[in-house]
Amino acid sequence: MNSRRFLLLLSLVVLTGLLAAPRAWAQGKRRVVQFTGIVASGDSLLGVPGASVYVPKAGRGTTSNAYGYFSLAVLAGDSIVFRSLGYRNQTIVIPPDYQRQSFSVIVTMQDDPTMLPEVRIFPYTTEQAFKKAFLALRLPDDKGTSAADNLNEELMRKIFNSQPMGATANFRQTMSQQQYNLDRRMGTAPNPQSNNPLLNPFSWLQLVKQIKDGEFKKKEGVDY
């Protein structure tokens, strides 16, 4: 009688365990969620490109595109960290009991102006080694160098006499000629009429005026 009761009790325990196992397994398995959103700056709400979207525990992540958009598969209960240079880190946690297949957010990043310390890079292990090498430096003399050869007076004169006219010189010559022709048409530049007094009407007017004023009359005591 006791053995029969013991077998019956053992069967009930095993049956209860078998029925509870699938439920416990289902509760331990977290739902996969498609996590999407936009990483934007807090002051202008413009997309932040290249922001890091990272799940530290899982060791996986992605980056936002040129418009700040991202898409990443995560598990319910994951903590997602957002990082970008010049902004403070942001963290978003997916609820452990989240039942939907997608989760969308707009993450506003706050400015974090951090002044980095100055970094000096030298090709020497210590500052003393750099000073020693600098003091031992011997610079070449100007004579015999390419810079001195290029400044040779004879060579520069030969280049000046044989160098063809370039585009800049041609442009200046053309503009100067056009301005000169314009001045000649306007009468403000030398022209054949102004150079030859017989062809210049203003010269004739001046001549008539001089005759009327008697400037060409013979004066007494003056030998022409």
Side-chain angles (χ1 to χ4, degrees):
M1 185 67 179
N2 293 335
S3 59
R4 184 179 298 178
R5 182 178 296 179
F6 175 76
L7 292 175
L8 180 61
L9 183 60
L10 181 60
S11 301
L12 291 175
V13 172
V14 173
L15 181 61
T16 302
L18 292 175
L19 293 175
R23 182 178 300 176
W25 178 81
Q27 292 178 354
K29 185 178 180 181
R30 295 187 295 171
R31 177 183 292 274
V32 178
V33 180
Q34 189 65 31
F35 184 53
T36 59
I38 295 177
V39 182
S41 59
D43 53 350
S44 62
L45 293 182
L46 296 176
V48 178
S52 174
V53 184
Y54 185 68
V55 183
K57 291 185 178 181
R60 63 177 183 275
T62 184
T63 57
S64 60
N65 63 6
Y67 305 99
Y69 175 80
F70 68 90
S71 180
L72 176 67
V74 299
L75 298 177
D78 279 347
S79 297
I80 301 95
V81 179
F82 296 84
R83 296 177 181 175
S84 182
L85 184 63
Y87 298 94
R88 299 177 184 176
N89 296 344
Q90 299 283 353
T91 303
I92 290 182
V93 180
I94 306 296
D97 55 349
Y98 192 76
Q99 299 299 324
R100 297 184 180 181
Q101 295 181 351
S102 61
F103 191 94
S104 300
V105 295
I106 297 179
V107 183
T108 55
M109 306 291 287
Q110 301 299 326
D111 293 339
D112 185 19
T114 302
M115 298 298 295
L116 298 178
E118 181 183 5
V119 177
R120 296 185 178 183
I121 301 177
F122 296 96
Y124 302 94
T125 55
T126 61
E127 186 176 356
Q128 288 75 13
F130 169 74
K131 291 181 179 179
K132 184 178 179 180
F134 181 80
L135 295 176
L137 182 63
R138 294 292 182 269
L139 296 177
D141 297 333
D142 292 339
K143 296 181 179 180
T145 62
S146 57
D149 296 339
N150 293 335
L151 295 177
N152 182 272
E153 183 178 358
E154 182 180 355
L155 177 61
M156 294 178 64
R157 186 174 299 276
K158 183 182 297 185
I159 295 176
F160 175 78
N161 295 328
S162 61
Q163 185 72 17
M165 184 177 293
T168 302
N170 288 333
F171 174 78
R172 292 179 178 176
Q173 176 66 19
T174 302
M175 293 297 102
S176 177
Q177 188 65 32
Q178 290 181 0
Q179 185 64 36
Y180 177 73
N181 294 334
L182 178 61
D183 294 341
R184 289 182 58 183
R185 291 196 298 269
M186 298 299 295
T188 57
N191 53 64
Q193 289 76 18
S194 62
N195 293 337
N196 189 351
L198 298 178
L199 300 178
N200 189 349
F202 296 99
S203 298
W204 281 98
L205 292 176
Q206 184 178 4
L207 177 62
V208 172
K209 184 176 182 302
Q210 290 175 347
I211 293 175
K212 288 183 179 181
D213 294 341
E215 295 184 7
F216 297 104
K217 292 181 179 181
K218 185 175 182 181
K219 299 179 180 179
E220 297 181 0
V222 178
D223 189 11
Y224 291 98

